[in-house]
Amino acid sequence: MSTDARNLLAGLLHQALAQVAPASRATITLDRPKQAQHGDFACNIAMQLAKELRGNPRAIAQQILDALPASPDLEKAEIAGAGFINLFLTRAYKQRVIARVLAAGECYGQGKSGAGRKIQIEFVSANPTGPLHVGHGRGAAYGASLAAILAAAGYDVDREFYVNDAGRQMDILLVSVWMRYLEAAGIGVEFPPNGYQGDYVRQRAEELRAQQGGAFERDAASVLAGLPQARGDETPEQAEALQEARMDALIANMKSLLGDALRGVFDQVLARQLAECRDVLERFGVTFERWYSEQSLYSDGKVAATLERLRAAGHLYEKDGATWFRSTAFGDDKDRVVRRDNGLYTYFASDIAYHADKLERGYDCIIDVWGADHHGYIPRVKAAITALGGDAAKLVVPLIQLVALFRGGEPVRMGKRSGNYVTLEELYGDVGVDAARFFYVLRKSDQHFDFDLDLAKSQSNDNPVYYIQYAHARVCSVLAQWGGDATTLAAADTAPLVSEHETALLRRLAEYPEIVEGAARDLAPHSIAFYLKELASEFHSYYNAERFIAGDAALTQARLALALAVRQVLKNGLALLGVGAPEKM
């Protein structure tokens, strides 16, 4: 009903305006009043015209009502407040939403607002240096849900995972695996405290030994040669710097001692890390059309080529032995290094090349889902896009705030390198995929989120996903009790649906397509979650107040048709969020 009703009412108002203000270019907007007694839709066009027509808004509203054509679907229109026009659709018109829901089935709620537009959404993109943790889970749930919502709104959506398989963090992972590999061979090396500590590192080392035997064994003296030593009187800051310097020396020794063989270690470790990442995400209901390698940007020459474009355009300069991008010329707060004085490219250099590649692929919009700690990164990436001649407005960056995990009222600590973290796999193994997916999108992505594990596991009305799924299961139970052919309900006469509960449900069902459209426009999966909670609440109230299988056959058919439509919309909405719709609970 939503889109059809808006078109219907807007058409009537346009006809009235053609008489009241034929030269006006005022825009007709229709909003849903929060309270049903104020109509199905409200319009503020009279207040918009007050200055133009130099008249009283209520008087202008009356002129519009006097010129409003009659319609069999419009019950009445009235003036409210300072000049709002409240519009009431007929009960028969609102009841027809059931037939539309049942006819469309899984397609109900899908729209065409994004038709003809290509969107790429990049999300998760975690360093492949360890298991995905609960923080990554929020980005995964948000990105996957948003992609599904955008697709439902008619966009052509590509989902992409950017694999950060280049740079120092990967070197640290390789050193960590190699140290565990050497330990297992009885070679006396001390594991670096700033290496990756998790059990998965030992597992990668065991796999390396199983496949390669002792091919990568080197004596301890060679491995530890040249590492800077502590004096014993370092400050905490100096001690931390010393650890990093020792790590850099270990990396250099590893590259020297293993030589070309290091590539085999890299490929094996990366392949296993990505395989586990892909498996964990797939079981979480998250898939991608493309896994894009950062390393490929270097091997394919795209980083060098992109920086040469910037240089040719006069946007790079040399200072202190490093190469800088003049990003302040494009609104950034300071210029940025793209190549260090040691000749190594920065992460920003590959990010520039990556976004240049995205633009070349012809997307109308590029969505990067980033952690909130990357907010300062947005201006420099937009600056680079502009410098390359692209449209920076095409880049949209929703930010994902941190997740605090609670169990028994106490926070659960996380830290990736130390190995003290809760993995995403552990989370959904504990509370279930459905609860994890729903809880992650229950709040706006830029709001801090406290994930209550106890609540997510509870089978109570306080658990929102349980509450919504229970509404779906209740409909299934009612239909099973009835025992008839549900496909016949599409032809049911819905005229008997006149109670307050039924009217509220009809209104809520009609809102669903515009909720999906709004969620796509605002990049806001949480609005789907809120809607489902409200729909479930109204259905539970209805269930507790009325008998579905009544003595009157026509009333029974009408109520069952309404329940079936509610079930369909619950299922459709949950599917967008990656949540199942169980028939029994």
Side-chain angles (χ1 to χ4, degrees):
M1 180 186 81
S2 176
T3 302
D4 294 339
R6 287 179 185 276
N7 291 339
L8 165 70
L9 298 176
L12 297 176
L13 289 168
H14 275 298
Q15 291 182 59
L17 281 185
Q19 297 184 41
V20 175
S24 177
R25 293 185 178 182
T27 302
I28 292 176
T29 58
L30 293 164
D31 297 311
R32 285 191 176 276
K34 293 183 179 180
Q35 297 179 330
Q37 62 264 35
H38 294 158
D40 296 296
F41 291 92
C43 182
N44 67 349
I45 187 65
M47 289 180 283
Q48 289 185 57
L49 292 171
K51 184 176 181 180
E52 181 181 344
L53 300 182
R54 298 181 180 180
N56 179 279
R58 286 185 63 90
I60 295 171
Q62 188 59 58
Q63 293 177 47
I64 293 172
L65 292 191
D66 292 341
L68 198 67
S71 169
D73 296 318
L74 181 63
E75 181 177 295
K76 64 178 180 177
E78 59 187 28
I79 303 168
F84 286 99
I85 297 175
N86 291 343
L87 302 154
F88 296 77
L89 295 164
T90 64
R91 187 183 301 278
Y93 186 93
K94 289 183 281 191
Q95 289 168 341
R96 291 203 291 271
V97 69
I98 294 176
R100 284 195 292 276
V101 172
L102 298 183
E106 293 181 355
C107 295
Y108 182 70
Q110 296 180 7
K112 299 180 179 179
S113 61
R117 298 192 67 204
K118 287 184 64 178
I119 285 184
Q120 187 242 32
I121 176 167
E122 178 226 322
F123 58 106
V124 185
S125 298
N127 287 336
T129 52
L132 297 173
H133 57 61
V134 295
H136 297 129
R138 190 176 193 188
Y142 173 85
S145 298
L146 178 58
I149 291 166
L150 290 168
Y155 292 91
D156 181 2
V157 182
D158 281 344
R159 302 158 181 84
E160 188 157 300
F161 188 115
Y162 181 52
V163 182
N164 300 122
D165 54 1
R168 188 169 183 267
Q169 294 306 313
M170 281 302 298
D171 288 339
I172 294 174
L173 175 62
L174 293 179
V175 162
S176 302
V177 172
W178 191 43
M179 291 295 103
R180 295 303 188 197
Y181 169 91
L182 295 174
E183 280 183 0
I187 297 172
V189 291
E190 181 182 355
F191 192 87
N194 52 341
Y196 288 102
Q197 306 277 350
D199 289 340
Y200 69 96
V201 176
R202 295 182 186 277
Q203 187 175 353
R204 297 292 87 86
E206 290 169 3
E207 292 164 352
L208 189 63
R209 180 161 293 280
Q211 293 192 25
Q212 305 293 339
F216 304 118
E217 292 179 10
R218 301 292 186 272
D219 64 272
S222 299
V223 173
L224 303 176
L227 267 65
Q229 301 300 312
R231 299 186 312 271
D233 60 350
E234 288 85 2
T235 65
E237 292 77 11
Q238 290 172 333
E240 182 177 353
L242 177 64
Q243 285 185 4
E244 294 304 312
R246 287 174 63 86
M247 177 60 74
D248 288 338
L250 277 173
I251 291 171
N253 288 349
M254 174 182 67
K255 292 181 177 180
S256 174
L257 292 169
L258 297 186
D260 293 341
L262 182 60
R263 185 68 205 187
V265 180
F266 177 93
D267 290 343
Q268 180 176 329
V269 171
L270 177 62
R272 289 295 302 134
Q273 290 294 109
L274 289 181
E276 289 193 357
C277 178
R278 185 181 284 108
D279 177 62
V280 168
L281 288 171
E282 287 180 353
R283 285 186 282 122
F284 195 48
V286 178
T287 59
F288 298 89
E289 277 77 30
R290 185 171 186 175
W291 293 67
Y292 195 108
S293 165
E294 179 186 2
Q295 189 66 43
S296 72
L297 291 168
Y298 292 98
S299 59
D300 294 345
K302 292 182 178 180
V303 174
T306 303
L307 293 187
E308 185 54 39
R309 285 175 58 189
L310 290 174
R311 187 183 299 280
H315 301 313
L316 299 185
Y317 64 91
E318 307 298 322
K319 178 184 175 183
D320 300 329
T323 303
W324 297 69
F325 167 53
R326 193 175 282 106
S327 54
T328 51
F330 304 95
D332 197 6
D333 60 344
K334 62 181 180 180
D335 293 344
R336 307 291 175 175
V337 176
V338 291
R339 195 168 191 175
R340 299 186 181 92
D341 56 4
N342 61 6
L344 296 178
Y345 291 108
T346 63
Y347 286 116
F348 183 44
S350 55
D351 279 340
I352 296 174
Y354 179 44
H355 284 85
D357 181 82
K358 290 186 181 189
L359 292 171
E360 290 169 2
R361 286 186 257 162
Y363 294 110
D364 298 291
C365 180
I366 297 165
I367 300 175
D368 288 0
V369 180
W370 291 350
D373 57 335
H374 285 73
H375 67 92
Y377 211 76
I378 301 172
R380 73 188 74 170
V381 175
K382 284 182 172 286
I385 290 173
T386 303
L388 289 167
D391 181 3
K394 287 186 175 182
L395 174 63
V396 180
V397 184
L399 295 176
I400 306 296
Q401 267 291 356
L402 297 174
V403 176
L405 198 62
F406 285 81
R407 190 191 305 276
E410 295 296 326
V412 179
R413 304 295 179 188
M414 295 183 298
K416 194 172 182 182
R417 264 203 225 174
S418 69
N420 177 26
Y421 52 80
V422 176
T423 67
L424 173 59
E425 184 179 19
E426 288 171 332
L427 173 69
Y428 66 67
D430 184 17
V431 304
V433 169
D434 287 346
R437 285 291 301 262
F438 191 89
F439 269 61
Y440 272 132
V441 298
L442 191 54
R443 299 284 181 271
K444 291 180 66 175
S445 65
D446 59 359
Q447 293 179 349
H448 184 84
F449 177 50
D450 292 341
F451 197 119
D452 187 336
L453 292 170
D454 299 322
L455 178 61
K457 294 170 67 174
S458 69
Q459 296 185 358
S460 71
N461 291 344
D462 293 329
N463 180 351
V465 67
Y466 176 84
Y467 189 63
I468 294 166
Q469 289 180 321
Y470 187 40
H472 183 273
R474 266 186 159 174
V475 177
C476 294
S477 175
V478 168
L479 292 173
Q481 182 183 356
W482 170 57
D485 181 359
T487 61
T488 64
L489 296 175
D493 179 7
T494 55
L497 301 176
V498 297
S499 75
E500 181 179 341
H501 290 296
E502 290 158 349
T503 301
L505 279 171
L506 291 170
R507 176 186 175 95
R508 191 69 67 189
L509 293 175
E511 289 178 355
Y512 181 65
E514 66 191 61
I515 294 294
V516 175
E517 183 177 339
R521 180 189 62 245
D522 301 332
L523 310 183
H526 71 275
S527 61
I528 302 289
F530 288 172
Y531 169 84
L532 293 174
K533 285 175 61 181
E534 292 167 349
L535 177 60
S537 176
E538 289 177 349
F539 178 77
H540 285 307
S541 295
Y542 182 41
Y543 180 92
N544 293 328
E546 306 283 1
R547 291 173 56 88
F548 286 87
I549 304 176
D552 185 305
L555 180 59
T556 294
Q557 288 277 312
R559 286 180 173 174
L560 290 173
L562 174 57
L564 188 62
V566 169
R567 184 180 76 168
Q568 185 66 64
V569 173
L570 287 172
K571 183 178 181 180
N572 291 1
L574 287 170
L576 292 180
L577 303 183
V579 179
E583 296 186 2
K584 294 181 179 180
M585 293 181 70

